[in-house]
Amino acid sequence: MRRIMLEKLKQHLPKKEFTILTGARQTGKSTLLKELEKYCKEEGMAVTFLNFEFKTILADLDENPLNLLNYLPQSEGKNVVLIDEVQYLKDPTNFLKLIYDEYAADIKIVATGSSAFYMDSRFEDSLAGRKKIFTLLTCSFDEYLTLLGKDDLLAEKSRIIQNTNAKSLKITQLKTEWDNYMIYGGYPAVITETDVNEKVARLRELRDSFVKRDILEAGVQNEAVFYQLFRLIAAQVGSLINVNELSTTLKVRSETVTHYLQVMQKYFHISLVKPFYRNLRKELVKMPKAYLLDTGLRNCLVNNFQSVQMRLDKGELWENMNFKLLAEQYNFDELKFWRTADGNEVDFVLPEADIPAAIEVKFDEAQIKPNKYQKFRDAYPEIDFRFSWYNAFNEGFFRRI
């Protein structure tokens, strides 16, 4: 399956900067690298794929980064070197810096690696101006439909969006797929499982096996507390994160909670959304709100795979889904929320977007009370204000999201 990210990687190939692809485990980074290798060969580029599972190659490059040259074919143009899991090197930052400084005109590196590598401050300092980082999230809804081979529904969705008067005979099918997408999320291995029980089993494997690898890699000392915190965050998505309250609940130091939240962010399990404010005297404090980067993993953590309409937490789930949709379009640090001391709140604000926007999320259209948000509109008339709702689900749904 071709991911949207593949086009971004293709476009970045001619750039001098090295390309760094990051994201949570099992989102498809290795598969993307193979797709890029295929593309390079089709375009007649000199391309080399290095698999660091081969210990002899790894040892050779650890001994001397310039040994890389021995693996490259003779070429009139630039050599493209694709490296999966670059963190297996003893000093990946030094390796990338040396190759860039000496051979950037001749070699283009595209590398994936674990989040522990990107947590290293040396990576940011030493490779400043030498790399561009791309973050691969779990599949978008369009990618979900493509992976399932439902090209007819993808085409119908596109027709609905392009024609504001369009009515669809497939709207029920689209709603069914959207509901499944919200419940089970966008991990490729989960999407392709046809049996519901197997989908849940896959998500539990992600929760237990792959998240545990992140925990070990990050040096987390108390695995049980980490999971407790993770479940608390999943259960209260969209709520303010009060570190002191969480530390009291979990009976650990606030520094431990802060560290574990940082680990969850670095491994692309959660994102902390900061408040948007211009008047420090009127708008509330700087506590962030938390969202998970995949709703399937979120539902696994709270152990709830009920249908959307049956859920007691459908409002929180829909708000988290809106965060995921926005995260597919904007950088994490561009997403804000607005909240004042007297209780006024707007779920998402994008003050730095090309067209600054604010979005208030409601599960049901009947819950919308426009006058409640007049204070925000008066304070920021330059920001386009709109609502996002789930019910009633019709063709307009796909024109709003």
Side-chain angles (χ1 to χ4, degrees), residues 312-324:
L312 295 176
D313 66 345
K314 53 183 174 284
E316 290 86 350
L317 178 58
W318 175 231
E319 186 175 336
N320 203 138
M321 190 73 252
N322 274 264
F323 167 79
K324 172 65 161 53

Side-chain angles (χ1 to χ4, degrees), residues 325-332 334-335 350 353-355 357 386:
L325 293 169
L326 291 169
E328 291 170 0
Q329 303 175 61
Y330 303 95
N331 295 326
F332 294 145
E334 291 181 290
L335 300 178
L350 298 102
D354 291 339
I355 301 177
R386 57 182 184 265

